[in-house]
Amino acid sequence: MGVEYDSGTGVVQTALRFRNTIIPLVINNIEFWLLFFMNLGVCTAFRSGWYDPEKYGLDIPHELTGVTTGLMSFFTVFYNSHCFHRYNDLYDEIKQMEGALLEFTSSLRARIKSKRHTRRALRYMMCSVFCFFFEEASGGIVSEAEMDQIRRLGLVTLDEVNALTDLRKDGGPADSTFFLDFALQTVCDGVPDFMDRDDMISSFFDKAFFIRRVEAKVIDTLALP
């Protein structure tokens, strides 16, 4: 499902937010709790006098911790910088998708005379983009609730949802790819003698395939460790 947020939320409220952050992912990790309780146990044993690292030859001079502290600080800053760079890459890619979708819309309005085909092709293209984000957020599958959300936005009809369900039974590509193909087919249907209009049709295909290439970049970026 999509994540709703208020862009006007203050800095303090954003910093104290728990839901839809990385914090639940951290505290649900068993390694985090193993390290936490191990550290808690060692600190408690040391402060209570039950454990003396010097007795077992496990003490580390404070001077030696400067190197590890420096390395930890370096890798923390490096990793945070890498994450922020990746965020900027994702932002640029999403803006490219938005720009290509606007160009696709403008081309439809200017070149396709049939309003019915124009609206249907645009619906399918926007539906393809919505399905892509839902697929990436939920493991590659658009749930019934998410598809119902798209339907309530007016991007797909109930008959089209039922037809898509039948196509899923036969296997094939993801829902976003289905709707991308539907959009291009609708464009072809809206252009008389489209086989002789390669100059017009190719521009729509180029914009649609550009959106698909950007989506592939988003998938590759999200898959990075």
Side-chain angles (χ1 to χ4, degrees), residues 150-171:
I150 296 175
R151 185 181 62 81
R152 284 187 278 107
L153 290 173
L155 300 180
V156 65
T157 65
L158 183 59
D159 291 338
E160 291 167 343
V161 173
N162 294 332
L164 180 64
T165 303
D166 294 335
L167 289 174
R168 286 174 178 170
K169 297 177 181 178
D170 299 330

Side-chain angles (χ1 to χ4, degrees), residues 40-52:
L40 181 63
V42 171
C43 290
T44 301
F46 176 75
R47 295 181 181 276
S48 301
W50 302 333
Y51 169 70
D52 185 2

